[in-house]
Amino acid sequence: MKTLRHDGPLIIGGGLAGLSAALEAAPAPVLVATPATLLEACASAWAQGGMAAALADDDTSSLHAGDTVKAGAGLVEPERARALTDAARETTEWLDRLGAPFDRDAGGQYHLSREAAHSRARVARVGGDGAGRAILSALVTAVRASPHVVLWEDARLTGLVRDADGRVRGAILTRSQRRVRVIAPAVILATGGIGGLYGRTTTPAALQGAGMALAWQASAEILDPEFVQFHPTAIRLTTAGPDSELVSPLPLATEALRGEGARLVDREGRYLLGEEDSADLAPRDQVARAVHAAELDGRGAFLDATQAIGAAFPTAFPAVYAACMRMGLDPRSQPIPVVAAAHYHMGGIAADADGRTTVEGLYAIGECAATGVHGANRLASNSLLEAAAFGRRAGRMARTETLPGPSPLTEITGTELPESDLTRLRDVMDRHVGVVRDAEGLATALTALAQIEARHPEALPMIAATLVVRAALAREESRGGHFRADYPRAQDEARHSRLVRDTTDAPQPLLAAE
């Protein structure tokens, strides 16, 4: 195996968080490793809604923080939420300067939408429903023009390198079937979420929790992994033929549609959440359960935007319009069939606002991190904000890191799952670790995962899925995105799940001192 020594941060992931960190790490030399060409295989490019920020005259970062804390169902760290929302305006303006083409009104001000659980209209959009790709495209252009950044767009993370003190000193990357050991003063994981562990997902299928799994193996603390957000309005798109099934991943009908007045109804046109104008703007976990219940009892769930959007669909929400038209449905005159699907992981690698984890030398940013700002249920459109704002902070912090003296090194590695077992894993997660959970289903899931693990004991998707299921089984309450049918109430005290690997089975040294 070839060993490369890099003198600056090594960033794993090319989404909004990773590229924000790369730009802010200047002038330190940065190596960005991603398994696909930039703009591919990252959830940032798929985001539709926009970026939340207190940009209106009737809004403040304090109000934004309050909404963030409230949505998080008791598990948001208030000081972290305030750090995020205080940085929101400056982060939006930074992206604006880089070329992100935010929508403007006739007076040149940001066009702002209201989304679920926001008390104000504060979501800056791009092209109606194209925020993620447009914002990320601006960063890609900036990164490609930055002389301090080297890009590897064919590198998959397969391991981490630690020293005798447990400090992370680098990573193992696979490029064209060849493994490369990169030694670096800081490794920043920006590896995305776990949507690829589910069949019903709105995220790239390649996102299977590899960063979280390897961080766990390196003894980093994992925070609240049971909290998965299910988006209530994934478009119900099925394959052709008599044995049709849902496609994966599913296209998304952005929450901004409901912000503009679209309503959730059943096949008879009855409201799913009530007649009040604001009923469909409840927190996502509540809306997702209503959609899930309507599907289970045969009523079906549909997003009716025929009155709220109607003829304006092609220009107001072009991505949703195109997805619907491809399936032979015209959203200007027909309600859109929807299902709840895995969308965002609130839990992940415990990290502070600068991305630092509980293991020296290891940072985590974006969806793979749990920084305390999402709690049990992420506030809509806070994800792009967190990725950019805290990604920038991590880049600035990581550029100050230096490698300590020589020490024996060990490798922590993992494998992928064969497609057949990955399909089995996804079916287990959809059936038993979805919108509604209970002890029987979660225990069944653990048994099924153990059978797969016996065949593939080093598979990173298995480690990630098992962390989610074990924490879900241990949390005997319903809170935010975690709903237990057998424990439908929240406990009086909100407590985090904190998981750390037992280090008594740590791997033996494999490498010479660096």
Side-chain angles (χ1 to χ4, degrees), residues 16-18 20-22 24 188 353 365-366 386-396:
L16 182 57
S20 295
E24 289 295 287
I188 303 178
I365 52 177
E386 183 206 18
F390 287 0
R392 296 176 72 196
R393 290 181 59 152
R396 293 192 291 264

Side-chain angles (χ1 to χ4, degrees), residues 252-291:
L252 184 66
T254 173
E255 196 158 283
L257 288 162
R258 282 177 281 138
E260 296 295 323
R263 300 302 304 268
L264 282 162
V265 298
D266 64 16
R267 67 179 72 257
E268 302 298 327
R270 294 170 296 197
Y271 294 125
L272 295 189
L273 288 111
E275 296 186 3
E276 298 83 3
D277 290 343
S278 62
D280 292 344
L281 292 177
R284 279 184 177 172
D285 63 296
Q286 297 176 29
V287 182
R289 287 196 294 275
V291 169

Side-chain angles (χ1 to χ4, degrees), residues 96-415:
D96 205 340
R97 293 192 299 272
L98 288 175
F102 290 104
D103 294 346
R104 306 277 185 167
D105 61 23
Q109 302 300 309
Y110 292 108
H111 177 80
L112 303 175
S113 295
R114 185 181 173 194
E115 293 185 350
H118 286 274
S119 61
R120 298 287 190 276
R122 65 164 67 96
V123 179
R125 291 157 48 187
V126 180
D129 56 6
R133 191 168 191 85
I135 292 170
L136 189 59
S137 293
L139 264 72
V140 168
T141 299
V143 165
R144 292 197 185 282
S146 298
H148 74 286
V149 179
V150 173
L151 290 170
W152 285 1
E153 296 175 78
D154 61 349
R156 179 169 52 86
L157 175 68
T158 53
L160 294 173
V161 178
R162 290 192 303 174
D163 65 18
D165 296 322
R167 188 189 197 281
V168 166
R169 295 213 185 191
I172 308 299
L173 305 172
T174 299
R175 306 183 71 193
S176 302
Q177 308 303 316
R178 300 184 65 181
R179 298 169 75 230
V180 181
R181 183 187 304 120
V182 180
I183 304 300
V187 174
I188 303 178
L189 296 178
T191 51
I194 62 168
L197 299 179
Y198 289 83
R200 289 189 171 196
T201 182
T202 65
T203 73
L207 302 181
Q208 299 166 17
M212 181 174 72
L214 286 169
W216 159 261
Q217 289 184 304
S219 298
E221 181 180 271
I222 307 300
L223 183 69
D224 298 334
E226 67 272 32
F227 290 109
V228 180
Q229 186 172 80
F230 296 86
H231 201 291
T233 55
I235 300 174
R236 187 182 179 86
L237 180 60
T238 59
T239 57
D243 299 323
S244 63
E245 57 185 25
L246 290 177
V247 302
S248 184
L250 290 163
L252 184 66
T254 173
E255 196 158 283
L257 288 162
R258 282 177 281 138
E260 296 295 323
R263 300 302 304 268
L264 282 162
V265 298
D266 64 16
R267 67 179 72 257
E268 302 298 327
R270 294 170 296 197
Y271 294 125
L272 295 189
L273 288 111
E275 296 186 3
E276 298 83 3
D277 290 343
S278 62
D280 292 344
L281 292 177
R284 279 184 177 172
D285 63 296
Q286 297 176 29
V287 182
R289 287 196 294 275
V291 169
H292 180 69
E295 181 187 11
L296 286 183
D297 63 22
R299 292 184 293 134
F302 300 83
L303 184 65
D304 187 350
T306 56
Q307 298 300 312
I309 313 298
F313 240 116
T315 54
F317 296 96
V320 177
Y321 176 73
C324 290
M325 294 299 285
R326 283 195 297 270
M327 61 187 285
L329 183 144
D330 189 340
R332 295 172 296 186
S333 57
Q334 298 171 278
I336 305 167
V338 294
V339 295
H343 181 64
Y344 190 87
H345 194 205
M346 278 81 69
I349 308 162
D352 65 15
D354 292 317
R356 292 174 295 190
T357 73
T358 57
V359 172
E360 287 190 41
L362 183 67
Y363 290 67
I365 52 177
E367 193 174 347
C368 74
T371 61
V373 299
H374 301 312
N377 190 33
R378 175 179 65 88
L379 184 67
S381 290
N382 267 357
S383 54
L384 292 181
L385 170 61
E386 183 206 18
F390 287 0
R392 296 176 72 196
R393 290 181 59 152
R396 293 192 291 264
M397 180 62 67
R399 74 187 180 196
T400 67
E401 296 270 11
T402 58
L403 278 171
S407 173
L409 301 181
T410 59
E411 288 182 7
I412 301 168
T413 60
T415 62

Side-chain angles (χ1 to χ4, degrees), residues 355-488:
R356 292 174 295 190
T357 73
T358 57
V359 172
E360 287 190 41
L362 183 67
Y363 290 67
I365 52 177
E367 193 174 347
C368 74
T371 61
V373 299
H374 301 312
N377 190 33
R378 175 179 65 88
L379 184 67
S381 290
N382 267 357
S383 54
L384 292 181
L385 170 61
E386 183 206 18
F390 287 0
R392 296 176 72 196
R393 290 181 59 152
R396 293 192 291 264
M397 180 62 67
R399 74 187 180 196
T400 67
E401 296 270 11
T402 58
L403 278 171
S407 173
L409 301 181
T410 59
E411 288 182 7
I412 301 168
T413 60
T415 62
E416 297 181 315
L417 272 180
E419 192 63 33
S420 59
D421 282 306
L422 183 57
T423 299
R424 172 61 177 152
L425 168 62
R426 288 168 171 161
D427 181 64
V428 169
M429 297 296 283
D430 281 344
R431 288 176 181 271
H432 303 299
V433 202
V435 177
V436 177
R437 306 161 175 180
D438 59 32
E440 181 180 2
L442 293 168
T444 299
L446 278 180
T447 299
L449 294 183
Q451 293 170 350
I452 301 173
E453 184 181 22
R455 296 191 292 272
H456 310 284
E458 296 182 351
L460 298 177
M462 292 305 310
I463 296 172
T466 302
L467 287 169
V468 173
V469 178
R470 288 195 179 280
L473 187 58
R475 185 172 289 277
E476 296 179 338
E477 65 164 348
S478 291
R479 184 179 298 277
H482 169 76
F483 187 84
R484 288 281 297 263
D486 48 352
Y487 293 96

